[in-house]
């Protein structure tokens, strides 16, 4: 009888261990894929384009959202800009937004835990998380797919410790939202002709867009300028539902 009891206990123990192991394996990927909390933009939230040393435009550009620049409020080429928002130039609203941008930039750069990824983003499919390619320039040539895994709260934060170079597109699937994608760029961001981009760029220096770029998000340059050439920037994240 004692042997049977010991055997039953052993089987129970083994069964429990297997169950726990299976549970840990099941929980592992979910924990790894858990996305970080979002980056609060404060008073910069309504801006589609925000700069530190001015905004330069050439050709027919459409901007949905607010615009402004501070400390240098210079804006050139706005005669061909179709603006669905408020041009704050260098007013008090812009100044507050610039302060909020600095806070958001620092918050994004400090987010973790960090997943190291190749600096070549094209061809990858990534779930929510914080991604950092070390000291390399982030290069998006081809298509980067962001998979929301049917979770509207999924957040992506890309920490570019150098520049961000885009010559491709960002594709959002399974509930991924451009409002939850952030690009913290330690230097400058350059978006090539006809590229399609999603998310909020938080650049320490400048943001340059070539001809025909489409951005579903924001172009926010902390210290430098923003250059546009016949582009479309749409900040849908701050548009109130109708």
């Amino acid at each position: 009888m004692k042997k049977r009891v010991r055997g039953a206990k052993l089987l129970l123990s083994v069964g429990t261990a297997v169950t726990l192991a299976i549970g840990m394996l099941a929980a592992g990927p979910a924990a790894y894929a858990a996305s970080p909390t979002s980056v609060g933009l404060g008073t910069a939230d309504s801006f589609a384009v925000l700069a530190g040393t001015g905004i330069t435009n050439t050709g027919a550009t459409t901007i949905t959202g607010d615009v402004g620049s501070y400390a240098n409020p210079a804006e050139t080429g706005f005669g061909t800009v179709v603006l669905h928002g408020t041009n704050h130039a260098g007013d008090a609203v812009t100044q507050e937004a610039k302060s909020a941008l600095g806070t958001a930039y620092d918050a994004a750069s400090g987010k973790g835990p960090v997943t190291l990824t190749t600096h070549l983003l094209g061809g990858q499919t990534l779930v929510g998380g914080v991604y950092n390619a070390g000291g390399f320039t982030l290069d998006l040539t081809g298509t980067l797919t962001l998979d929301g895994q049917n979770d509207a709260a999924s957040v992506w934060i890309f920490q570019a410790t150098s520049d961000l170079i885009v010559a491709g597109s960002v594709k959002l699937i399974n509930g991924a939202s451009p409002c939850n994608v952030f690009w913290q760029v330690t230097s400058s961001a350059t978006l090539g002709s006809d590229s399609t981009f999603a998310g909020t760029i938080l650049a320490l220096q400048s943001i340059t867009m070539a001809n025909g770029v489409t951005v579903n998000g924001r172009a926010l340059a902390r210290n430098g300028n923003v250059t546009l050439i016949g582009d479309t920037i749409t900040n849908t994240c701050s548009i109130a539902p109708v």
Side-chain angles (χ1 to χ4, degrees), residues 41-212:
L41 295 175
T43 53
D45 181 75
S46 67
F47 282 76
V49 179
L50 183 61
T53 58
I55 304 170
T56 301
N57 174 69
T58 303
T61 289
T62 300
I63 301 174
T64 301
D66 295 341
V67 301
S69 181
Y70 181 80
N72 182 349
E75 296 176 348
T76 60
F78 266 62
T80 55
V81 172
V82 176
L83 177 61
H84 303 289
T86 301
N87 187 346
H88 289 285
D91 68 8
V93 174
T94 296
Q95 294 175 38
E96 291 179 8
K98 283 299 302 302
S99 177
L101 171 56
T103 300
Y105 177 93
D106 292 341
S109 68
K111 288 285 186 177
V114 173
T115 298
L116 292 177
T117 184
T118 173
H119 67 289
L120 302 175
L121 296 177
Q124 294 197 61
T125 297
L126 301 176
V127 298
V130 180
Y131 296 95
N132 188 307
F136 293 96
T137 292
L138 276 180
D139 184 317
L140 202 179
T141 300
T143 300
L144 168 65
T145 302
L146 303 182
D147 184 353
Q149 298 182 308
N150 298 315
D151 180 2
S154 290
V155 174
W156 293 258
I157 298 173
F158 294 91
Q159 298 170 337
T161 52
S162 182
D163 293 324
L164 168 65
I165 306 295
V166 179
S169 62
V170 177
K171 180 180 180 182
L172 306 176
I173 64 173
N174 296 328
S177 168
C179 304
N180 292 334
V181 182
F182 301 90
W183 304 80
Q184 180 259 319
V185 183
T186 303
S187 187
S188 297
T190 301
L191 281 62
S193 296
D194 300 318
S195 56
T196 302
F197 194 76
T200 296
I201 302 175
L202 306 167
L204 182 62
Q205 299 302 330
S206 63
I207 300 173
T208 301
M209 299 186 197
N211 184 64

